Amino acid sequence: MAERKVTSLDVAALAGVSQSAVSRVFTPGASVSKKMAARVRDAANELGYRPNVLARSLITGRSRIIGLVVAYLENPFYPDALERFSTVLQGEGYHILVFMTSGAGEGVDRVIEELMDYQVDGIITASVGMSDDLASRCSAAGIPVVLFNRGQADDRLAQVTSDNIRGGRRIAEFLVAGGHKRIAHVAGWQGSSTGRDRKDGFLAGLDAAGVMPVSVVEGEYSREVAAEATRALWAEHKPDAIFVGNDHMAFGVIDVLRHELGLSVPGDVSVVGYDDVPMAGWAAYDLTTLRQPSGQMVARTVEMLLERIGSPDVAARKEMIEGDLILRGSARVPEGWT
Amino acid sequence: MAERKVTSLDVAALAGVSQSAVSRVFTPGASVSKKMAARVRDAANELGYRPNVLARSLITGRSRIIGLVVAYLENPFYPDALERFSTVLQGEGYHILVFMTSGAGEGVDRVIEELMDYQVDGIITASVGMSDDLASRCSAAGIPVVLFNRGQADDRLAQVTSDNIRGGRRIAEFLVAGGHKRIAHVAGWQGSSTGRDRKDGFLAGLDAAGVMPVSVVEGEYSREVAAEATRALWAEHKPDAIFVGNDHMAFGVIDVLRHELGLSVPGDVSVVGYDDVPMAGWAAYDLTTLRQPSGQMVARTVEMLLERIGSPDVAARKEMIEGDLILRGSARVPEGWT
DNA sequence: CTGAAAGCGCTAACAG
DNA sequence: CTGTTAGCGCTTTCAG
């Protein structure tokens, strides 16, 4: 067991060629004769040789490692994205190194240092708490960063989101058209662009229809906080419709409404979420929600990242993916709504 | 932007010391004077220097990377574990490189090669599909492997599981004590030890009580398969209790029972799951289930792995963590059950 | 197209 | 305790 590591030198010896010849055979786009390639490959297979990615990266300057910075995986939107990211990137010859951050201030410094330590080729940030700080600093250090599902004012940062403002507005229109009179919003974390944009779009949509929300509260993207907010909301305002800043919170809101307050959803109150995580389609919730097409978002994120890794000085882009409102059973559907 | 990479040599120059002195300052457990350390640290901070982990690993032979092989993250038990693994390992100075595998045969070879390529120090496999094959081969190649939530006959492989046989038996006792007469089982994937053990324990428990199950079907750890199985199960056998091989499937089973078949859970049929994922505590399901203490399981897995990385020839161990039956509202509770 | 030689950035003996 | 000297395994000029 624990056999000594087999190096390109061993292969070279067995094949009776130079070590650099072996290297060439395993370097895409190097010039080697067919005969040489075959001979080396045979020897390599016989010894079970594989190039050492780490040694390679020392000289090429590329590690083929992408750092994924993520704060929490409780919201199923993120594991889903992680799975997609990993699969897509593996297809491109990259792998994901995971960096968990509590999202707190001090953690950011540590994460940045660790990202640098591993010489990651690029970074994807995919969580709420990750402040713009991290992104800007890594970017400044010359490592391409793409913000996934998170925006920011700084134009030098690449980002992929859905059109949260438009999404929020659309939900407002939907709820108003449904004849709801006492509309409330349990907002996502206001420290994040998604939380703010969805709220702003929603309020703008209500405003355009001449409707005032009965209440707007913070859910902070936390199930517990949203649940607590819902209790207070009901006690004070008895809303007949609630737009919740993401599905993850919406499940908590519905649970409180139905099981603590004994209300009917959508009979007594309509609930609309945001994301369309798989669970939203489950019969227990059957949640009407605005879909964020995670497959497309992931694909674009990876494209942008690889593009920037390839040519570091390409301009950063902000990309928005459109998502549809998915009609299910948690909210009354307006007559003739399309 | 994209400032030239700062190396230990730069730091040495600025501090007016040798390059190896710089190295020592950043090597835990090397002998340096306080003065030297301070001087070097200052210079390093000024330049923003951090040691290149990849270069280091080339010589130390340790990458401080742990490969996590995982097939799917749909079952929330796994994102939860991933988050814990990442956090715990970061605390130990390691990071997780993710390897997604479709679980299919051919994928295994590719994953193994990639694991080797990155010189991972150790491997954790945390999913259903991962065959023993992968584990044995990596183990044979001298890379420590620990199977998480998965067992295997081969004694040379380290593994951490809950006591699935005992868990299955306990659920049988619980259901029998509850007075259920028509007991069924929607089993986990029978290609996995957990799926088999839970089933075997369950059947043994029923048998000990002189009870025959009305039906035992495969759910393959898939929500859809379990849902379909439930429809057939009800049509044919009208069970009054179902033990489902994990929570993830149990949610699907409950949804079918309640929303398609119009049945009451637990009024018409009691449902018990396995895992106690966070969602099991949500009011919509309120699932009685056997808890797998993921925190403890993760902690033990990491301990075992690091121990084996430290001393490769320490004997592999199989570890079982005990979990409790968590009583909630999805199954009738026997009189005086403790 | 192939081999020889020079490092990538770092750690680990080895002298002093 | 510190500096000097070899490499870790690989890619990449540079000659041939």
Side-chain angles (χ1 to χ4, degrees), chain A residues 250-327:
Chain A
F251 301 135
V253 169
I254 290 179
D255 281 350
V256 168
L257 255 20
R258 284 187 180 149
H259 301 283
E260 288 185 27
L261 270 16
L263 299 167
S264 159
V265 175
D268 296 312
V269 22
S270 286
V271 175
V272 177
Y274 208 105
D275 276 348
D276 193 30
V277 298
M279 214 192 308
W282 295 6
Y285 292 108
D286 197 32
L287 182 67
T288 292
T289 187
L290 204 131
R291 172 174 295 165
Q292 296 211 91
S294 58
Q296 286 176 51
M297 288 174 66
V298 164
R300 281 305 291 141
T301 301
V302 170
E303 281 172 30
M304 285 175 63
L305 189 65
L306 296 187
E307 186 188 2
R308 308 197 71 212
I309 290 174
S311 28
D313 26 44
V314 66
R317 295 234 313 279
K318 297 173 188 267
E319 182 116 5
M320 275 187 186
I321 313 273
E322 301 252 330
D324 293 331
L325 183 63
I326 307 297
L327 300 182

Side-chain angles (χ1 to χ4, degrees), chain B residues 142-158:
Chain B
I143 308 178
V145 181
V146 180
L147 307 185
F148 175 77
N149 199 29
R150 200 70 33 181
Q152 146 149 321
D154 190 335
D155 268 346
R156 293 164 315 183
L157 291 178

Side-chain angles (χ1 to χ4, degrees), chain A residues 58-73:
Chain A
L58 196 54
I59 170 133
T60 60
R62 332 196 129 286
S63 60
R64 309 218 66 104
I65 294 176
I66 302 294
L68 177 71
V69 185
V70 73
Y72 75 138
L73 297 175

